[in-house]
Structures are given as structure tokens and as C-alpha cells.
Amino acid sequence: MKHVIIPYDLLMTFVSIMKQAESEVVGFLIGSKAGDAIIVNELILCENEDRSPYSFKVHPNAVLKAHEIAESYGLDIIAIIHSHPGPPYPSVMDLGGMKLWGIPWIIVDRLSHEVRAWELNGGKAVELELMSTPK
């Protein structure tokens, strides 16, 4: 089974920023893959151009910069992380984005801070196991 391994402190940094934001928070996770493991090394936060608590949009230049940063570390963009105003399940908009990106999406509930990882498989969202490294 595919699983995402994310550093605990990186996840807590995202949650801390999310708690202070008025709109959805979004970023790219860079790292590598090893077999069924998707290993996160770094978080690259991006500005939400929608400035909405219900959606996000990332400027193409921010996407390019994230790719450049990943390449400079010898890594790849391996997942997208963003907050939701409620339960961490993919929205219709998320499903559309997941079709375009083809990488896992990590969704964090703004209220409960519950975190779930998803990817598309056969056009349907499938939950991935999410593991965090020790503090």
C-alpha cells in the first residue's frame, strides 16, 4: 500500500500557519519516492491567489519556483498540501486538480487539524496511509 511519510515538525509548521490564516493555505511538498513510500523532505508554501477560505489558486510563477527549489535539492514535487474549512476529504475542485497533477494531495482540516492523504486511482479518490516521523 502506498504511504506518505511526512516530518512531524513540518506538519506542525503547516498547522500553525493554517491556524493564523483567513484563507486556505496551500503548498508543495518536495521529496522522493522509494517503492510504495512517498517521503517528504520540505514544504514550500505558496500564496493563495483566491484569498478564499474555500478554494485556492497558485500563480504559475510559484509553481515554477517550487520546481526550481526541488531541483536544487535533487528532489521532486511529490505532493500538494492544503487546508480545508472542514473534514479533510477531496472536494469536487480538488478532484479536478488531482486529475491534472497526478500526485497525492494532503488535506488538513482547519478546525480539528485532522490530516489525510489522497490520490486518484481509476478516477476515484483513494486514501493513502499517512505516517509522520518522530518529533
Coordinates of all heavy atoms in Angstrom, one line a residue, residues 14-90:
F14 N 2.9 23.7 9.2 CA 1.8 24.0 8.3 C 0.5 24.3 9.2 O -0.2 25.2 8.9 CB 1.5 22.8 7.4 CG 0.4 23.0 6.4 CD1 0.7 23.7 5.2 CD2 -0.9 22.7 6.7 CE1 -0.3 24.0 4.3 CE2 -1.9 22.9 5.8 CZ -1.6 23.6 4.6
V15 N 0.3 23.5 10.2 CA -0.9 23.7 11.0 C -0.9 25.0 11.7 O -1.9 25.8 11.8 CB -1.1 22.5 12.1 CG1 -2.1 22.9 13.1 CG2 -1.4 21.2 11.4
S16 N 0.3 25.4 12.2 CA 0.5 26.7 12.9 C 0.2 27.9 11.9 O -0.5 28.8 12.3 CB 1.9 26.8 13.4 OG 2.1 28.1 14.0
I17 N 0.7 27.8 10.7 CA 0.4 28.8 9.7 C -1.1 28.8 9.3 O -1.7 29.9 9.2 CB 1.3 28.6 8.5 CG1 2.7 28.9 8.8 CG2 0.8 29.5 7.3 CD1 3.8 28.4 7.8
M18 N -1.6 27.6 9.2 CA -3.1 27.5 8.8 C -4.0 28.1 9.9 O -5.0 28.8 9.5 CB -3.4 26.0 8.6 CG -4.8 25.7 8.4 SD -5.1 23.9 8.5 CE -5.0 23.7 10.3
K19 N -3.6 27.9 11.1 CA -4.5 28.5 12.2 C -4.5 30.0 12.2 O -5.5 30.6 12.7 CB -4.0 28.0 13.6 CG -4.2 26.5 13.8 CD -3.8 25.9 15.1 CE -3.0 26.5 16.1 NZ -2.6 25.7 17.2
Q20 N -3.5 30.6 11.7 CA -3.5 32.1 11.6 C -4.0 32.7 10.3 O -4.2 33.9 10.3 CB -2.0 32.6 11.8 CG -1.4 32.1 13.1 CD 0.1 32.5 13.2 OE1 0.5 33.4 12.6 NE2 0.8 31.7 13.9
A21 N -4.2 31.9 9.3 CA -4.7 32.4 8.0 C -6.2 32.5 7.9 O -6.9 31.8 8.6 CB -4.2 31.4 6.9
E22 N -6.6 33.4 7.1 CA -8.0 33.6 6.9 C -8.5 32.9 5.6 O -9.7 32.7 5.5 CB -8.3 35.1 6.7 CG -8.1 35.9 8.0 CD -8.4 37.4 7.9 OE1 -9.1 37.8 6.9 OE2 -8.1 38.1 8.8
S23 N -7.6 32.5 4.8 CA -7.9 31.8 3.6 C -7.3 30.4 3.6 O -6.5 30.1 4.5 CB -7.5 32.5 2.3 OG -6.1 32.7 2.3
E24 N -7.6 29.6 2.6 CA -7.0 28.2 2.5 C -5.5 28.4 2.4 O -5.0 29.4 1.7 CB -7.5 27.4 1.3 CG -8.8 26.7 1.6 CD -9.1 25.6 0.6 OE1 -8.2 25.2 -0.2 OE2 -10.3 25.2 0.6
V25 N -4.7 27.6 3.0 CA -3.3 27.6 2.9 C -2.9 26.5 2.0 O -3.4 25.4 2.1 CB -2.6 27.4 4.3 CG1 -1.1 27.4 4.2 CG2 -3.1 28.5 5.3
V26 N -1.9 26.7 1.1 CA -1.5 25.8 0.1 C 0.0 25.8 0.0 O 0.7 26.8 0.2 CB -2.2 26.0 -1.2 CG1 -1.8 27.4 -1.8 CG2 -1.9 24.9 -2.2
G27 N 0.5 24.6 -0.3 CA 2.0 24.5 -0.5 C 2.3 23.2 -1.3 O 1.4 22.3 -1.5
F28 N 3.5 23.1 -1.7 CA 4.0 21.9 -2.4 C 4.9 21.2 -1.4 O 5.7 21.8 -0.6 CB 4.8 22.3 -3.6 CG 4.0 22.9 -4.7 CD1 4.0 24.2 -5.0 CD2 3.2 22.0 -5.5 CE1 3.3 24.7 -6.0 CE2 2.4 22.6 -6.5 CZ 2.5 23.9 -6.8
L29 N 4.9 19.9 -1.4 CA 5.8 19.1 -0.6 C 6.8 18.5 -1.6 O 6.4 17.9 -2.6 CB 5.0 18.0 0.1 CG 4.0 18.5 1.1 CD1 3.1 17.3 1.6 CD2 4.6 19.2 2.2
I30 N 8.1 18.7 -1.2 CA 9.1 18.1 -2.1 C 9.8 17.0 -1.3 O 9.9 17.0 -0.1 CB 10.1 19.2 -2.6 CG1 10.9 19.8 -1.4 CG2 9.4 20.2 -3.4 CD1 12.0 20.8 -1.9
G31 N 10.3 16.0 -2.1 CA 10.9 14.9 -1.5 C 11.2 13.8 -2.6 O 11.5 14.2 -3.7
S32 N 11.1 12.6 -2.2 CA 11.4 11.5 -3.1 C 10.5 10.3 -2.9 O 9.7 10.3 -2.0 CB 12.9 11.0 -2.9 OG 13.0 10.6 -1.6
K33 N 10.6 9.3 -3.8 CA 9.8 8.1 -3.7 C 10.8 6.9 -3.6 O 11.8 6.9 -4.2 CB 8.9 7.9 -5.0 CG 7.9 9.0 -5.1 CD 7.1 8.8 -6.4 CE 6.1 9.9 -6.6 NZ 5.4 9.8 -7.9
A34 N 10.4 6.0 -2.8 CA 11.1 4.7 -2.6 C 10.1 3.6 -2.5 O 9.5 3.4 -1.5 CB 12.0 4.8 -1.4
G35 N 9.9 2.9 -3.6 CA 8.9 1.8 -3.6 C 7.6 2.4 -3.5 O 7.2 3.4 -4.2
D36 N 6.8 2.0 -2.4 CA 5.5 2.5 -2.2 C 5.5 3.7 -1.2 O 4.5 4.2 -0.9 CB 4.6 1.4 -1.5 CG 4.1 0.4 -2.6 OD1 4.2 0.7 -3.8 OD2 3.7 -0.7 -2.1
A37 N 6.7 4.1 -0.8 CA 6.8 5.2 0.1 C 7.0 6.5 -0.6 O 7.8 6.6 -1.5 CB 8.0 5.0 1.1
I38 N 6.3 7.5 -0.2 CA 6.4 8.9 -0.7 C 7.0 9.7 0.5 O 6.3 9.8 1.5 CB 5.1 9.5 -1.2 CG1 4.5 8.6 -2.3 CG2 5.2 10.9 -1.5 CD1 3.1 8.8 -2.6
I39 N 8.2 10.1 0.4 CA 9.0 10.6 1.5 C 9.1 12.1 1.4 O 9.8 12.6 0.4 CB 10.4 10.0 1.6 CG1 10.2 8.5 1.7 CG2 11.1 10.5 2.8 CD1 11.5 7.7 1.4
V40 N 8.5 12.9 2.3 CA 8.5 14.3 2.3 C 9.7 14.9 3.0 O 10.0 14.4 4.1 CB 7.2 14.9 2.9 CG1 7.3 16.4 3.0 CG2 6.0 14.4 2.2
N41 N 10.4 15.8 2.4 CA 11.6 16.4 3.0 C 11.4 17.9 3.3 O 11.9 18.4 4.3 CB 12.8 16.4 2.1 CG 13.3 14.9 1.8 OD1 12.8 14.3 0.9 ND2 14.2 14.5 2.7
E42 N 10.6 18.6 2.5 CA 10.5 20.1 2.7 C 9.1 20.5 2.2 O 8.4 19.9 1.4 CB 11.5 20.8 1.8 CG 12.9 20.6 2.1 CD 13.4 21.2 3.4 OE1 12.7 22.2 3.9 OE2 14.4 20.7 4.0
L43 N 8.7 21.6 2.8 CA 7.4 22.3 2.5 C 7.7 23.6 1.8 O 8.6 24.4 2.3 CB 6.6 22.6 3.8 CG 5.5 23.5 3.7 CD1 4.4 23.0 2.8 CD2 4.9 23.8 5.1
I44 N 7.1 23.9 0.7 CA 7.2 25.2 0.0 C 5.8 25.8 0.0 O 4.9 25.3 -0.7 CB 7.7 25.0 -1.4 CG1 9.1 24.3 -1.4 CG2 7.8 26.4 -2.1 CD1 9.5 23.9 -2.8
L45 N 5.6 26.8 0.9 CA 4.3 27.5 0.9 C 4.1 28.4 -0.3 O 5.1 29.0 -0.7 CB 4.2 28.3 2.2 CG 4.0 27.5 3.5 CD1 4.2 28.4 4.7 CD2 2.7 26.7 3.5
C46 N 2.9 28.5 -0.7 CA 2.6 29.4 -1.8 C 1.4 30.3 -1.4 O 0.6 30.0 -0.6 CB 2.1 28.5 -3.0 SG 3.3 27.4 -3.6
E47 N 1.4 31.5 -2.1 CA 0.3 32.4 -1.8 C -0.9 31.9 -2.5 O -0.9 31.4 -3.6 CB 0.7 33.8 -2.4 CG -0.4 34.8 -2.2 CD -0.1 36.1 -2.8 OE1 1.1 36.4 -3.2 OE2 -1.0 37.0 -2.9
N48 N -2.0 32.0 -1.8 CA -3.3 31.6 -2.3 C -3.9 32.8 -3.0 O -4.4 33.7 -2.4 CB -4.3 31.1 -1.2 CG -5.7 30.8 -1.7 OD1 -6.0 30.9 -2.9 ND2 -6.5 30.3 -0.8
E49 N -3.8 32.8 -4.3 CA -4.3 34.0 -5.1 C -5.8 34.1 -5.0 O -6.3 35.2 -5.3 CB -3.9 33.8 -6.5 CG -2.4 34.0 -6.7 CD -2.0 34.5 -8.0 OE1 -2.6 34.2 -9.0 OE2 -0.9 35.1 -8.1
D50 N -6.6 33.1 -4.7 CA -8.0 33.2 -4.5 C -8.4 34.0 -3.2 O -9.4 34.6 -3.1 CB -8.7 31.8 -4.4 CG -9.0 31.2 -5.7 OD1 -8.7 31.9 -6.8 OD2 -9.4 30.1 -5.8
R51 N -7.5 33.9 -2.2 CA -7.7 34.6 -0.9 C -9.1 34.2 -0.4 O -9.8 35.0 0.1 CB -7.6 36.1 -1.0 CG -6.1 36.5 -1.3 CD -6.0 38.0 -1.5 NE -4.7 38.5 -1.6 CZ -3.9 38.3 -2.8 NH1 -4.5 37.8 -3.8 NH2 -2.7 38.8 -2.8
S52 N -9.4 32.9 -0.5 CA -10.7 32.4 -0.1 C -10.5 31.3 1.0 O -9.5 30.5 0.9 CB -11.4 31.8 -1.3 OG -12.5 31.0 -0.9
P53 N -11.4 31.2 1.9 CA -11.3 30.1 2.9 C -11.9 28.7 2.3 O -11.8 27.7 2.9 CB -12.2 30.5 4.0 CG -13.2 31.5 3.4 CD -12.4 32.1 2.3
Y54 N -12.4 28.8 1.0 CA -13.0 27.6 0.4 C -12.3 27.1 -0.9 O -12.7 26.1 -1.4 CB -14.4 27.9 0.1 CG -15.2 28.4 1.3 CD1 -15.5 29.8 1.4 CD2 -15.5 27.6 2.3 CE1 -16.2 30.2 2.5 CE2 -16.2 28.0 3.5 CZ -16.5 29.4 3.5 OH -17.1 29.8 4.7
S55 N -11.3 27.8 -1.3 CA -10.6 27.4 -2.5 C -9.2 28.0 -2.6 O -8.8 28.9 -1.8 CB -11.3 27.9 -3.8 OG -11.3 29.3 -3.9
F56 N -8.3 27.5 -3.5 CA -7.0 28.1 -3.6 C -6.6 28.1 -5.1 O -7.2 27.3 -5.9 CB -6.0 27.3 -2.8 CG -5.6 25.9 -3.3 CD1 -4.7 25.7 -4.3 CD2 -6.2 24.8 -2.7 CE1 -4.3 24.5 -4.7 CE2 -5.9 23.6 -3.2 CZ -5.0 23.4 -4.2
K57 N -5.7 29.0 -5.4 CA -5.2 29.1 -6.8 C -3.7 29.5 -6.6 O -3.5 30.5 -5.8 CB -6.0 30.1 -7.6 CG -5.5 30.3 -9.0 CD -6.4 31.3 -9.7 CE -5.8 31.7 -11.0 NZ -6.6 32.7 -11.6
V58 N -2.8 28.8 -7.2 CA -1.4 29.1 -7.1 C -0.9 29.7 -8.5 O -1.2 29.2 -9.5 CB -0.6 27.9 -6.8 CG1 0.9 28.2 -6.8 CG2 -1.0 27.3 -5.5
H59 N -0.2 30.9 -8.4 CA 0.3 31.5 -9.6 C 1.3 30.6 -10.3 O 2.1 29.9 -9.7 CB 0.9 32.8 -9.3 CG 1.2 33.7 -10.5 ND1 2.3 33.5 -11.3 CD2 0.5 34.7 -11.0 CE1 2.3 34.4 -12.2 NE2 1.2 35.2 -12.1
P60 N 1.2 30.5 -11.7 CA 2.2 29.7 -12.4 C 3.7 30.0 -12.0 O 4.5 29.0 -12.0 CB 1.9 30.0 -13.9 CG 0.5 30.4 -13.9 CD 0.3 31.2 -12.6
N61 N 4.0 31.2 -11.7 CA 5.4 31.5 -11.4 C 5.8 30.8 -10.1 O 6.9 30.4 -9.9 CB 5.6 33.0 -11.3 CG 5.6 33.7 -12.6 OD1 5.9 33.0 -13.7 ND2 5.4 35.0 -12.7
A62 N 4.8 30.7 -9.1 CA 5.1 30.0 -7.9 C 5.3 28.5 -8.1 O 6.1 27.9 -7.5 CB 3.9 30.2 -6.9
V63 N 4.6 28.0 -9.1 CA 4.8 26.5 -9.4 C 6.2 26.3 -10.0 O 6.9 25.4 -9.6 CB 3.7 26.1 -10.4 CG1 3.9 24.6 -10.9 CG2 2.3 26.2 -9.9
L64 N 6.6 27.2 -10.9 CA 7.9 27.2 -11.5 C 9.0 27.3 -10.4 O 9.9 26.5 -10.4 CB 8.1 28.3 -12.5 CG 9.4 28.3 -13.2 CD1 9.8 27.0 -13.9 CD2 9.5 29.5 -14.2
K65 N 8.8 28.2 -9.5 CA 9.8 28.4 -8.4 C 9.9 27.1 -7.5 O 11.0 26.7 -7.2 CB 9.4 29.6 -7.6 CG 10.5 29.9 -6.5 CD 10.3 31.3 -6.0 CE 11.4 31.6 -4.9 NZ 12.7 31.9 -5.4
A66 N 8.7 26.5 -7.3 CA 8.7 25.3 -6.5 C 9.5 24.2 -7.2 O 10.3 23.5 -6.6 CB 7.3 24.8 -6.2
H67 N 9.3 24.1 -8.5 CA 10.1 23.1 -9.3 C 11.6 23.4 -9.2 O 12.4 22.5 -9.0 CB 9.6 23.1 -10.7 CG 8.4 22.2 -11.0 ND1 8.4 20.8 -10.9 CD2 7.1 22.6 -11.3 CE1 7.2 20.4 -11.2 NE2 6.4 21.4 -11.4
E68 N 11.9 24.7 -9.3 CA 13.4 25.0 -9.3 C 14.0 24.7 -7.9 O 15.1 24.2 -7.8 CB 13.5 26.5 -9.6 CG 13.2 26.9 -11.0 CD 13.2 28.4 -11.3 OE1 13.1 29.2 -10.4 OE2 13.2 28.7 -12.5
I69 N 13.2 25.0 -6.8 CA 13.7 24.7 -5.5 C 13.9 23.2 -5.3 O 14.9 22.7 -4.8 CB 12.8 25.3 -4.4 CG1 12.8 26.8 -4.4 CG2 13.1 24.7 -3.0 CD1 11.7 27.5 -3.6
A70 N 12.9 22.4 -5.8 CA 13.0 21.0 -5.7 C 14.2 20.5 -6.4 O 15.0 19.6 -5.9 CB 11.7 20.3 -6.2
E71 N 14.4 20.9 -7.6 CA 15.6 20.5 -8.4 C 16.9 20.9 -7.8 O 17.9 20.1 -7.8 CB 15.5 21.2 -9.8 CG 14.5 20.5 -10.7 CD 14.5 21.1 -12.1 OE1 15.4 21.9 -12.5 OE2 13.6 20.8 -12.9
S72 N 17.0 22.1 -7.1 CA 18.2 22.5 -6.4 C 18.6 21.5 -5.3 O 19.7 21.4 -5.0 CB 18.1 23.9 -5.9 OG 17.3 24.0 -4.8
Y73 N 17.6 20.8 -4.7 CA 17.8 19.8 -3.7 C 18.0 18.4 -4.2 O 18.2 17.5 -3.5 CB 16.7 19.8 -2.7 CG 16.6 21.0 -1.7 CD1 15.6 21.9 -1.8 CD2 17.6 21.1 -0.7 CE1 15.6 23.0 -0.9 CE2 17.5 22.2 0.2 CZ 16.5 23.1 0.1 OH 16.4 24.1 1.0
G74 N 17.8 18.3 -5.6 CA 17.8 17.0 -6.2 C 16.6 16.2 -5.9 O 16.6 15.0 -5.8
L75 N 15.5 16.9 -5.6 CA 14.2 16.3 -5.2 C 13.1 16.6 -6.3 O 13.4 17.3 -7.2 CB 13.8 16.7 -3.8 CG 14.8 16.4 -2.7 CD1 14.4 17.1 -1.4 CD2 14.9 14.9 -2.5
D76 N 11.9 16.1 -6.0 CA 10.8 16.4 -6.9 C 9.6 16.9 -6.1 O 9.5 16.7 -4.8 CB 10.3 15.1 -7.6 CG 11.3 14.5 -8.5 OD1 11.8 15.3 -9.4 OD2 11.7 13.4 -8.3
I77 N 8.7 17.6 -6.7 CA 7.4 17.9 -6.1 C 6.7 16.6 -6.0 O 6.4 16.0 -7.1 CB 6.6 19.0 -6.9 CG1 7.3 20.3 -6.8 CG2 5.2 19.1 -6.3 CD1 6.7 21.4 -7.7
I78 N 6.3 16.1 -4.8 CA 5.7 14.8 -4.7 C 4.3 14.9 -4.1 O 3.6 13.8 -4.1 CB 6.6 13.9 -3.8 CG1 6.9 14.5 -2.4 CG2 7.9 13.6 -4.5 CD1 7.4 13.6 -1.4
A79 N 3.9 16.0 -3.6 CA 2.5 16.1 -3.1 C 2.1 17.6 -3.0 O 3.0 18.5 -3.0 CB 2.4 15.5 -1.8
I80 N 0.8 17.8 -2.9 CA 0.3 19.2 -2.7 C -0.4 19.1 -1.3 O -1.0 18.1 -1.0 CB -0.7 19.6 -3.8 CG1 0.0 19.8 -5.1 CG2 -1.5 20.8 -3.3 CD1 -0.9 20.0 -6.3
I81 N -0.2 20.1 -0.5 CA -0.8 20.2 0.8 C -1.7 21.4 0.9 O -1.3 22.5 0.4 CB 0.2 20.1 2.0 CG1 -0.5 20.0 3.3 CG2 1.2 21.3 1.9 CD1 0.4 19.7 4.5
H82 N -2.9 21.3 1.4 CA -3.7 22.5 1.6 C -4.7 22.2 2.7 O -5.0 21.1 3.1 CB -4.4 22.9 0.3 CG -5.6 22.1 -0.1 ND1 -5.5 20.8 -0.7 CD2 -6.9 22.3 -0.1 CE1 -6.6 20.3 -1.0 NE2 -7.5 21.2 -0.6
S83 N -5.3 23.3 3.2 CA -6.2 23.3 4.3 C -7.7 23.3 3.7 O -7.9 23.7 2.6 CB -6.1 24.5 5.2 OG -6.2 25.7 4.5
H84 N -8.6 22.8 4.5 CA -10.0 22.8 4.2 C -10.7 23.4 5.4 O -10.3 23.3 6.5 CB -10.5 21.4 4.1 CG -10.6 20.9 2.6 ND1 -11.4 19.9 2.3 CD2 -10.0 21.3 1.5 CE1 -11.2 19.7 1.0 NE2 -10.4 20.5 0.5
P85 N -11.9 24.0 5.1 CA -12.6 24.6 6.2 C -13.4 23.6 7.0 O -14.1 23.9 8.0 CB -13.6 25.6 5.5 CG -13.7 25.0 4.1 CD -12.4 24.4 3.8
G86 N -13.3 22.3 6.6 CA -14.0 21.2 7.3 C -13.2 19.9 7.1 O -12.0 19.9 6.9
P87 N -13.9 18.8 7.1 CA -13.3 17.5 7.0 C -12.3 17.4 5.9 O -12.6 17.9 4.8 CB -14.5 16.5 6.9 CG -15.6 17.2 7.5 CD -15.4 18.7 7.2
P88 N -11.2 16.6 6.1 CA -10.2 16.6 5.1 C -10.4 15.5 4.0 O -9.7 14.6 3.8 CB -8.9 16.2 5.9 CG -9.5 15.4 7.0 CD -10.8 16.0 7.3
Y89 N -11.5 15.7 3.2 CA -11.8 14.9 2.1 C -11.8 15.7 0.9 O -12.2 16.9 0.9 CB -13.2 14.3 2.3 CG -13.3 13.4 3.5 CD1 -13.6 13.8 4.8 CD2 -12.9 12.0 3.4 CE1 -13.7 13.0 5.9 CE2 -12.9 11.2 4.5 CZ -13.3 11.7 5.8 OH -13.3 10.9 6.9
P90 N -11.4 15.1 -0.3 CA -11.3 15.9 -1.5 C -12.7 16.5 -1.9 O -13.7 15.8 -2.0 CB -10.8 14.9 -2.5 CG -10.2 13.8 -1.8 CD -10.9 13.8 -0.5

